[in-house]
Amino acid sequence: MLAVREVAVSGYRSLRRISFPVEDLSVFVGGNGTGKTNLYRALELLQAAALGTLTRDLAAEGGMDSVLWAGRRRQGEPARLRLSVSLRDDETEQVFAYTVEIGLVPQAGAEIYGAAFRQEPQVKAERLTVRNGGRTAVILDRDGRSGFVRDADGRKQSLGIDLLATETALGSALIATGQPEIALVRLAMTAWRFHHGFRTDADSPLRRPCLAVTTPTLASDGSDLAAVFATLAHIRQDTTDLDEAIDGAFPGARLIVPEPAREASFGVTFPDFAKRSFDAAELSDGTLRFLALAGALLGYRLPPFIALNEPETSLHPDLMEPLARLVARAAERTQVWLVTHSDRLADAIAASGGPRPRTVLKREGETWIEGLRLSGTFADADDD
């Protein structure tokens, strides 16, 4: 498994230039408007580069006019968005570093618009390196539409396809084919899961049965929650952790997961109505959202990286400690990255064996993390 070890972002919304380490469990806390969600969104955009949807996702955010750093730039400095991630294989000790730069379509020369529409985000550069011991090799290097990949024998080869200016090389299945390092990084990043709230309205997929298909990992929108629960109950035949989490959040409550036929479903019984199972459509928003978080963090198989954006939303304050235990338990099996408004949740995670929370703040319009050095390390790391 490739673990995320460092992320760097520049030129994105309130992120002028920031680089920070990523631990097995990372917790960031801060108030409204500090830019916590921009940190989370930058990780989503890195995954979008691996999925091949990066420029489309940026266009959906409002285009480059909306997403670029709006503060001052040095004279002559290009308007660029730069995303980087460092991934480490703890077994082989190999470190993979991927960087992508996005910019604007040049305004001079009508011929360039065959590669991108006038207002489209455009991939300017990509680079993937692998460090093994003291040696670093460039596996992928792309400048505009041209570049090279390095084969298993270390020889440079052209990209082999005519990449559009709006396509990432990392997101190209054709380029990844036959390039094991590229395929490995792409596979790892596309497996990340992001959970930014769960819909709990009447039409929410959480409230409906889903197809009865063995489901080890919850989808980002929670649409297969019933199948995740059924997989634990009837495939693994072990819901001990899940039952403990639900009882800790709602004392005396029990999750009911009927053996599925064509569809999977679930319900909950409560002490006051022990003989009545309330199905998903009847549960309160907070109860349903907590169950979805439990499905995300206690699934049969967890993704290599889980990012949670303000998971406390719509939860009663008394659920912060049970949620903290869920997060800490999941971090024993995978990486968890979390941003929150709630000091109570952040402190509860620390009390459950997690790390001290990092405070996200604004300084002169720029998002920063308290205690972070310009070198990309935390000042208190020297004390650990």
Side-chain angles (χ1 to χ4, degrees):
M1 182 178 76
L2 297 184
V4 181
R5 288 304 173 215
E6 186 176 35
V7 170
V9 186
S10 62
Y12 178 64
R13 296 193 179 274
S14 64
L15 305 177
R16 182 178 184 181
R17 185 176 292 105
I18 190 168
S19 175
F20 54 93
V22 179
E23 307 297 334
D24 291 338
L25 174 54
S26 299
V27 179
F28 299 91
V29 63
N32 288 325
T34 56
K36 301 185 311 301
T37 297
N38 292 339
L39 293 171
Y40 172 91
R41 180 63 182 146
L43 290 167
E44 282 191 306
L45 291 174
L46 277 163
Q47 184 186 60
L51 289 167
T53 63
L54 176 56
T55 57
R56 178 178 291 274
D57 285 12
L58 289 171
E61 280 195 44
M64 297 301 284
D65 289 343
S66 295
V67 303
L68 283 173
W69 162 253
R72 292 183 178 179
R73 297 190 188 89
R74 291 189 295 271
Q75 187 173 3
E77 182 182 358
R80 294 281 180 91
L81 187 165
R82 191 172 189 268
L83 305 163
S84 300
V85 63
S86 178
L87 307 166
R88 177 184 168 89
D89 186 329
D90 290 334
E91 291 186 5
T92 66
E93 298 186 350
Q94 290 181 309
V95 177
F96 299 84
Y98 172 72
T99 298
V100 60
E101 290 188 29
I102 307 294
L104 300 165
V105 174
Q107 295 303 301
E111 69 278 0
I112 57 87
Y113 296 117
F117 298 120
R118 185 180 295 269
Q119 298 296 322
E120 273 190 293
Q122 190 174 53
V123 179
K124 298 296 185 180
E126 281 181 276
R127 190 176 178 89
L128 175 64
T129 64
V130 57
R131 188 175 76 242
N132 198 347
R135 182 184 177 190
T136 299
V138 179
I139 303 301
L140 164 67
D141 197 2
R142 183 253 187 105
D143 184 4
R145 295 173 66 184
S146 63
F148 71 85
V149 293
R150 200 177 298 275
D151 65 20
D153 296 323
R155 293 174 300 204
K156 292 182 180 180
Q157 298 180 345
S158 68
L159 294 178
I161 63 172
D162 184 21
L163 276 178
L164 294 175
T166 52
E167 295 177 314
T168 56
L170 183 63
S172 169
L174 290 176
I175 291 177
T177 301
Q179 304 293 335
E181 292 92 350
I182 297 175
L184 180 62
V185 169
R186 184 171 184 242
L187 181 65
M189 292 172 65
T190 56
W192 298 350
R193 282 289 192 277
F194 294 87
H195 298 292
H196 184 179
F198 292 98
R199 282 181 52 197
T200 55
D201 57 89
D203 294 324
S204 165
L206 294 178
R207 295 193 180 278
R208 297 194 298 268
C210 65
L211 291 176
V213 177
T214 301
T215 306
T217 304
L218 186 71
S220 288
D221 64 357
S223 56
D224 49 11
L225 179 61
V228 168
F229 288 159
T231 299
L232 290 171
H234 301 288
I235 302 297
R236 175 183 277 178
Q237 298 185 350
D238 182 1
T239 59
T240 302
D241 291 343
L242 185 58
D243 293 338
E244 180 181 315
I246 292 171
D247 184 64
F250 313 105
R254 289 193 311 117
L255 182 69
I256 306 299
V257 186
E259 184 168 359
R262 184 175 180 275
E263 293 184 325
S265 62
F266 67 90
V268 179
T269 63
F270 298 94
D272 292 343
F273 304 95
K275 295 183 179 181
R276 164 89 152 81
S277 177
F278 293 82
D279 66 29
E282 300 175 282
L283 297 175
S284 72
D285 290 356
T287 300
L288 191 59
R289 187 167 278 115
F290 184 89
L291 291 175
L293 288 165
L297 297 168
L298 295 176
Y300 184 101
R301 183 190 305 122
L302 296 185
F305 184 84
I306 299 174
L308 303 173
N309 189 14
E310 300 174 11
E312 74 279 3
T313 301
S314 296
L315 297 185
H316 190 278
D318 289 346
L319 292 177
M320 295 305 101
E321 284 73 21
L323 176 56
R325 292 193 292 271
L326 271 181
V327 170
R329 179 67 62 87
E332 296 172 1
R333 300 169 57 195
T334 191
Q335 272 192 288
V336 180
W337 194 93
L338 182 151
V339 293
T340 177
H341 284 300
S342 172
D343 290 311
R344 180 171 174 177
L345 174 59
D347 292 341
I349 292 173
S352 297
R356 71 191 79 178
R358 302 291 182 184
T359 300
V360 181
L361 46 83
K362 272 280 187 72
R363 55 181 200 185
E364 298 181 355
E366 179 181 357
T367 293
W368 198 251
I369 304 170
E370 190 174 51
L372 182 66
R373 298 183 176 118
L374 292 176
S375 61
T377 61
F378 287 109
D380 57 16
D382 299 335
D383 302 328
D384 294 339

